[in-house]
């Protein structure tokens, strides 16, 4: 027998919701976001140790990063929709539990394939978890300046997770072993799970109980196959069958995904959502920014270790100032948005990042110094990234209906991570081509410089998209 009468249960639930401080919800949601973004970059400084211990090839090292990123991007829309239908808190707990268990499996891996499978499952858990972090936060904070500040905090924490990955990974690799870059997630995951049970309140955005699993499988398979085809160009060239077949198959799978979504009764990605100009444009720009920014951590880390001879810990410490500036940029953006408008803040941020890449490709040298070759360009790149991400996230979510909040939140993360996964594949191929197969510092530096130069050009393409497509001449958080 229920202790609370049926008619008073909603009131009781509302009372419990009000009793939970907003800061507790923001803290828990941001902790989950920190973990999933941290694991995009935390393995970078540990890659040489992983290679030595498990016998990974150069291609295998790239897939340690991409197995996570592609599963993360491919299933995030499904995770966002699941949160809308089955409850954001429930999906937060399921995703974090899966992520934590996969971290344990990856940390204990004895073979390279075990590590890659664990990283892919980690990405799946992150895909379920990540959309709920933003949706739970926006549900707890009323629309307006307070929500913009909360989104700024969420963006800063996510950006800080990506930035801190190098330091955390280097510290754990040097002091313990590469396995701890994954095992450290286990106690932290248990702590955040406990906080979520007590501090988060359940919410839903829809009544339908059907999930578009075929759509999720198609988009993930399409991305993975496309990324594999891009990577094959490094060894086989662009015209070889080993390259053309996976490229064509990847594009075909993505085309089938779009066709399935157009006819599905409960699509994973309602194509009509892209009729909202703010959603379509902001996500396209987010993809460009992700393609450049995610690869930055990879190339800066391998440049420091493979060319300058830094240890894993030294490489991580070298990126600490960048970690701080990306957080500063994320917290500065909400203050600038009411003054000059989200669109202008986005342009300033992307141009600052592009300038950082321009400086980086010009000063990267085999005998480069820390201040000129890492510190100054890194600060520019990450300050701009922090400035750009907050207004883009705000614009992308501002025009959606409450029932689509989880889906749109997932789409924001999907665009950034999808761009990062494909960007890393493309830029790694460009770097290898310019290195000419050499592994000496001079050849590697030529390759890394080409990757940085290409990243800057990608970002300039993003600026063009902002200027011609992204709406929002008006100031303040509510840009349609």
């Amino acid at each position: 027998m229920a202790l609370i009468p049926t008619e008073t249960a909603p009131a009781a639930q509302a009372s419990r919701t009000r009793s939970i401080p907003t800061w507790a919800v923001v803290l828990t949601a941001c902790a989950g976001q920190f973990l999933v973004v941290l694991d995009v970059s935390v393995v970078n400084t540990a890659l040489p140790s992983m290679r030595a211990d498990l016998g990974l090839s150069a291609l295998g090292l790239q897939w340690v990063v991409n197995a996570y990123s592609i599963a993360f991007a491919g299933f995030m829309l499904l995770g966002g929709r699941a949160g809308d239908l089955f409850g954001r808190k429930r999906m937060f707990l399921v995703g974090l539990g899966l992520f934590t268990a996969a971290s344990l499996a990856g940390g204990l891996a004895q073979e390279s394939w075990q590590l890659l499978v664990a990283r892919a499952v980690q990405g799946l858990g992150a895909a379920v978890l990540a959309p709920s972090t933003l949706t739970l936060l926006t549900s707890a904070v009323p629309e307006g300046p307070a929500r913009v500040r909360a989104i700024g905090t969420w963006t800063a924490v996510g950006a800080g997770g990506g930035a801190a990955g190098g330091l955390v990974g280097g510290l754990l690799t040097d002091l313990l072993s590469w396995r701890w870059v994954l095992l450290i997630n286990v106690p932290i995951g248990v702590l955040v799970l406990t906080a979520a049970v007590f501090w988060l309140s359940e919410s839903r955005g829809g009544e339908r109980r059907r999930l578009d699993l075929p759509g999720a499988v198609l988009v993930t398979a399409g991305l993975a196959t496309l990324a594999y085809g891009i990577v094959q160009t490094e060894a086989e060239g662009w015209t070889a069958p080993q390259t053309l077949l996976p490229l064509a198959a990847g594009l075909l799978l993505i085309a089938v995904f779009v066709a399935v979504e157009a006819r599905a009764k409960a699509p994973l990605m309602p194509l009509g959502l892209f009729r909202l100009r703010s959603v379509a444009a902001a996500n396209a720009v987010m993809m460009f920014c992700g393609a450049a920014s995610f690869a930055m951590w990879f190339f800066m880390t391998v440049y420091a270790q493979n060319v300058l001879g830094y240890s894993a810990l030294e490489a991580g410490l070298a990126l600490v100032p960048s970690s701080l500036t990306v957080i500063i940029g994320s917290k500065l953006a909400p203050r600038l948005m009411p003054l000059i408008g989200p669109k202008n803040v986005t342009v300033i941020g992307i141009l600052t990042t592009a300038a950082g890449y321009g400086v980086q490709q010009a000063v990267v040298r085999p005998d480069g110094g820390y201040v000129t070759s890492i510190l100054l360009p890194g600060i520019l790149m990450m300050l701009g990234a922090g400035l750009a991400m907050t207004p883009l996230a705000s614009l992308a979510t501002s025009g959606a209906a409450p029932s689509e909040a989880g889906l749109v939140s997932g789409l924001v993360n999907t665009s950034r991570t999808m761009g990062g996964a494909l960007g890393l594949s493309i830029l790694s191929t460009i770097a290898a081509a310019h290195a000419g197969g050499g592994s000496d510092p001079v050849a590697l530096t030529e390759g890394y410089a080409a990757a940085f130069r290409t990243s800057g050009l990608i970002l300039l393409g993003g600026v063009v998209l902002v200027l011609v497509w992204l709406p929002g001449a008006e100031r303040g958080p509510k840009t349609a």
Side-chain angles (χ1 to χ4, degrees):
M1 181 179 295
L3 297 177
I4 301 174
T6 302
E7 61 272 17
T8 63
Q13 175 64 35
S15 175
R16 286 194 298 272
T17 300
R18 286 194 298 269
S19 68
I20 301 172
T22 301
W23 66 262
V25 178
V26 174
L27 176 63
T28 306
C30 287
Q33 177 70 0
F34 180 84
L35 275 178
V36 300
V37 178
L38 177 75
D39 267 66
V40 174
S41 61
V42 73
V43 299
N44 287 341
T45 49
L47 290 175
S49 297
M50 290 177 176
R51 183 174 190 171
D53 195 12
L54 299 179
L56 285 161
S57 64
L59 180 60
L61 287 181
Q62 185 174 322
W63 279 98
V64 171
V65 179
N66 266 355
Y68 181 89
S69 298
I70 290 174
F72 188 15
F75 284 99
M76 206 178 311
L77 292 175
L78 188 71
R81 174 56 77 198
D84 287 337
L85 299 183
F86 303 132
R88 283 76 181 251
K89 176 180 177 178
R90 180 176 298 169
M91 290 301 103
F92 185 100
L93 295 173
V94 169
L96 184 54
L98 186 60
F99 176 89
T100 304
S103 297
L104 178 62
L108 299 177
Q110 299 301 310
E111 301 287 343
S112 58
W113 68 266
Q114 294 171 348
L115 176 61
L116 295 181
V117 170
R119 287 286 288 168
V121 177
Q122 258 193 318
L124 175 60
V128 175
L129 167 64
S132 294
T133 64
L134 182 55
T135 311
L136 286 165
L137 184 148
T138 55
S139 299
V141 183
E143 190 171 359
R147 182 180 290 182
V148 173
R149 287 194 297 271
I151 292 176
T153 300
W154 176 86
T155 305
V157 168
L167 174 60
V168 173
L171 187 65
L172 293 172
T173 301
D174 269 10
L175 296 183
L176 297 171
S177 80
W178 68 262
R179 296 182 182 279
W180 279 96
V181 303
L182 300 173
L183 293 176
I184 193 65
N185 292 327
V186 178
I188 298 174
V190 171
L191 184 62
V192 178
L193 276 168
T194 303
V197 169
F198 291 101
W199 283 351
L200 297 181
S201 297
E202 190 58 278
S203 68
R204 291 181 175 86
E207 296 300 325
R208 292 174 295 173
R209 293 290 167 177
R210 178 182 299 176
L211 283 176
D212 183 14
L213 186 58
V217 172
L218 281 169
V219 72
T220 305
L223 283 174
T225 307
L226 191 61
Y228 177 77
I230 293 170
V231 171
Q232 284 293 96
T233 62
E234 179 181 334
E236 306 294 341
W238 284 96
T239 58
Q242 295 91 328
T243 298
L244 293 177
L245 287 177
L247 285 176
L251 292 173
L252 178 61
L253 286 168
I254 292 173
V256 173
F257 165 72
V258 173
V260 167
E261 297 307 283
R263 298 186 178 187
K265 293 182 179 179
L268 177 66
M269 187 177 68
L271 300 182
L273 193 62
F274 289 98
R275 295 192 187 101
L276 288 172
R277 191 175 166 193
S278 61
V279 172
N283 277 281
V285 177
M286 190 74 83
M287 183 176 290
F288 274 69
C289 292
S293 299
F294 273 47
M296 176 266 184
W297 297 115
F298 180 85
F299 286 109
M300 288 288 276
T301 302
V302 295
Y303 168 65
Q305 291 181 275
N306 294 342
V307 175
L308 301 184
Y310 287 20
S311 69
L313 178 57
E314 289 169 340
L317 287 171
L319 298 178
V320 167
S322 302
S323 306
L324 297 177
T325 53
V326 73
I327 295 172
I328 291 171
S330 299
K331 298 301 289 184
L332 181 61
R335 298 179 181 272
L336 294 177
M337 287 164 62
L339 300 176
I340 62 176
K343 182 173 180 177
N344 291 328
V345 176
T346 301
V347 170
I348 292 171
I350 298 176
L351 285 176
T352 302
T353 305
Y357 277 111
V359 172
Q360 181 70 70
Q361 64 88 27
V363 301
V364 63
R365 297 193 306 272
D367 59 345
Y370 170 66
V371 173
T372 55
S373 295
I374 293 180
L375 178 64
L376 295 180
I379 286 175
L380 274 177
M381 285 186 276
M382 290 298 101
L383 177 65
L387 281 172
M389 292 300 180
T390 298
L392 281 174
S394 180
L395 286 165
T397 57
S398 62
S403 62
E404 304 289 352
L407 176 63
V408 175
S409 299
L411 190 58
V412 171
N413 277 308
T414 296
S415 298
R416 181 170 57 183
T417 312
M418 184 187 304
L422 294 178
L424 179 58
S425 299
I426 293 169
L427 293 170
S428 294
T429 302
I430 290 172
H434 281 77
S439 58
D440 60 282
V442 174
L444 291 175
T445 300
E446 288 293 325
Y448 299 152
F452 289 128
R453 184 163 53 250
T454 306
S455 295
L457 295 174
I458 290 172
L459 287 169
L460 291 179
V463 171
V464 173
L465 283 181
V466 172
L467 294 176
V468 303
W469 192 10
L470 190 69
E474 63 180 273
R475 301 173 182 177
K478 293 184 180 180
T479 303

